[in-house]
Amino acid sequence: MKTKHLTAGLVALLTTLTPARAADNILHNFTGVASDGSQPYGSLTLSGAKFYGMTYQGGSSVTGGTLFTMNTDGSGFGLLHSFTRTTSDGGGPEGSLTLAGTKIYGMTSEGGSSNRGTVFSMNSDGTGFGLLHSFTGGASDGRLPIGSLTLSGTKLYGMTFSGGSVDAGSLFSMNTDGTGFGLLHSFTGGVGDGISPSGSLTLSGAKLYGMTRDGGSSNTGTVFSMNTDGTGFSLLHHFTGGASNGTQPLGSLALSGTKLYGMTFGSGSSNSGTLFSMNTNGTGFGLLHTFTGGASDGQYPYGSLTLSGTKLYGMTQNGGSGNNGTIFSMKTDGTGYSLLESFGGAPTDGAYPFYCDVTLSGDGSTLYGTTAYGGTANLGVVFSHPTPEPASAALLGLGALLLAAPRRHPRPV
């Protein structure tokens, strides 16, 4: 009888100690003045206790955009660079930064010699800014890069939304010093190719994986792979829509072993987007989650997934209690889907994350990210959010010991 009461009491205690869903914490409200950015269209890059990120607008030229840094506790915010959208500078970044030691690499969607976008580098202290490449479009160059760079050794890989042989986008590589620029692939559309890539490339050994928004058999997007030397281009999946497939992927792929994970903006049972997995050889495609919107689910994912062990984290542009977007988590096997946060919108919360994925702290306890709108000026925020934590491991361990302890039966009389 005592064991029964102890078990019931322990379960009640552990249930009480399991935390309720926590709210996000606003670390910075973008205001769009000369010393601040506005509308971040990308994710945060973490280095130790410091973030680096970009905004699409704001800064000294108001509309040029910025490159900023801040500490993970929200202190120390400052601009490292204000873009001017001139021939010698970029403008309107729509992606994230790539960090290598004390060097930062990134792209802008506008600016440069032809106002068709740039690749740049600078030191992490804000010195040494310079353009590595100005996109010009045409058959031998890309234009309008919407995404981020992938670094391998001294080589950078990236994609442009337009440009190339038929102006349907390109995949390029270049050295980190700005030399050796060349197109590895010009997208041409149709049944055998994609159109309009966005997001970033995912690197595994000598193989690159990515997605295009359009193209393929239904002209609603593709997953592709190719070798880093430009050979072996292949379509791994054609998005076709409907309840069991997606349309228009707008982000990047997450890789774990031989498994790829990603999201699409549309289709699934409610045409509100999907979360999928597939093998790196193109087999085994399946939906892990179909977004339905409303108060209890996200809608229209506009970014990428963050993988941590067997857990996936991501955001959606809409959905949630106020239809301002959400943060969610689920297991890689498709179970355990949970809505972690519904953004509340201006003036006290963020809203509508674009081209964003959450960044996980080194100890796995906190998610960091940006939204394009919301906050005090409705020009976007930087936020933090705790990852879901179970009840105290020590208490759970104690519970397991108590529940496993042998029962003492009364002696017979």
Side-chain angles (χ1 to χ4, degrees):
M1 183 66 74
K2 287 183 179 180
T3 303
K4 181 178 179 181
H5 288 314
L6 178 61
T7 301
L10 179 62
V11 170
L13 174 62
L14 294 178
T15 301
T16 301
L17 290 173
T18 301
R21 194 172 83 187
D24 59 318
N25 177 41
I26 303 303
L27 301 177
H28 183 74
N29 289 279
F30 291 103
T31 57
V33 297
S35 58
D36 200 1
S38 70
Q39 296 185 307
Y41 287 178
S43 306
L44 298 164
T45 299
L46 178 64
S47 177
K50 194 173 286 282
F51 289 126
Y52 298 92
M54 296 189 289
T55 62
Y56 182 73
Q57 296 193 86
S60 59
S61 67
V62 181
T63 62
T66 72
L67 193 161
F68 66 87
T69 184
M70 64 184 292
N71 299 319
T72 54
D73 63 2
S75 64
F77 179 89
L79 298 188
L80 296 179
H81 185 74
S82 286
F83 295 104
T84 58
R85 297 182 193 249
T86 60
T87 57
S88 59
D89 198 3
E94 297 187 48
S96 306
L97 294 161
T98 300
L99 185 65
T102 59
K103 203 77 163 179
I104 293 171
Y105 301 93
M107 298 192 290
T108 63
S109 64
E110 299 176 37
S113 59
S114 301
N115 197 31
R116 294 181 173 181
T118 71
V119 179
F120 67 85
S121 70
M122 71 179 299
N123 300 320
S124 57
D125 62 2
T127 63
F129 179 89
L131 296 188
L132 299 179
H133 184 74
S134 287
F135 292 102
T136 58
S140 60
D141 202 359
R143 68 180 181 91
L144 191 61
I146 300 177
S148 311
L149 295 162
T150 299
L151 177 66
S152 178
T154 59
K155 188 79 80 173
L156 296 166
Y157 299 92
M159 298 187 290
T160 63
F161 192 77
S162 304
S165 59
V166 298
D167 201 29
S170 73
L171 192 161
F172 67 88
S173 69
M174 63 186 297
N175 299 320
T176 53
D177 63 0
T179 63
F181 179 90
L183 296 191
L184 298 179
H185 184 75
S186 284
F187 293 97
T188 57
V191 174
D193 204 357
I195 301 175
S196 302
S198 62
S200 309
L201 292 161
T202 300
L203 179 66
S204 177
K207 188 79 80 173
L208 296 164
Y209 299 91
M211 298 191 287
T212 64
R213 188 194 68 178
D214 303 310
S217 59
S218 299
N219 198 31
T220 51
T222 70
V223 178
F224 66 86
S225 69
M226 71 177 301
N227 300 319
T228 53
D229 63 1
T231 62
F233 181 88
S234 175
L235 292 188
L236 302 178
H237 183 73
H238 300 253
F239 291 105
T240 57
S244 61
N245 212 313
T247 59
Q248 294 190 315
L250 296 170
S252 310
L253 294 161
L255 175 67
S256 177
T258 59
K259 191 74 84 173
L260 295 166
Y261 301 90
M263 297 189 290
T264 65
F265 185 78
S267 271
S269 59
S270 299
N271 196 29
S272 295
T274 71
L275 193 161
F276 67 86
S277 69
M278 62 184 292
N279 299 318
T280 52
N281 64 2
T283 63
F285 178 90
L287 298 188
L288 299 179
H289 184 73
T290 292
F291 294 100
T292 57
S296 60
D297 200 4
Q299 187 177 35
Y300 305 139
Y302 214 96
S304 309
L305 293 162
T306 297
L307 178 65
S308 177
T310 59
K311 187 83 84 171
L312 295 163
Y313 298 96
M315 296 192 286
T316 62
Q317 175 187 288
N318 295 102
S321 57
N323 201 33
N324 294 306
T326 70
I327 308 171
F328 66 86
S329 69
M330 72 178 302
K331 295 179 180 178
T332 52
D333 63 2
T335 63
Y337 179 86
S338 176
L339 205 63
L340 303 181
E341 176 68 18
S342 290
F343 290 110
T348 59
D349 200 4
Y352 311 130
F354 291 161
Y355 290 121
C356 295
D357 48 304
V358 288
T359 300
L360 190 65
S361 63
D363 63 2
S365 66
T366 309
L367 299 168
Y368 299 95
T370 64
T371 65
Y373 294 92
T376 54
N378 203 25
L379 294 174
V381 304
V382 177
F383 68 85
S384 68
H385 192 287
T387 54
E389 294 294 337
S392 166
L395 284 170
L396 290 173
L398 174 62
L401 288 172
L402 290 171
L403 292 173
R407 296 185 179 184
R408 294 183 178 273
H409 298 283
R411 294 178 182 177
V413 293

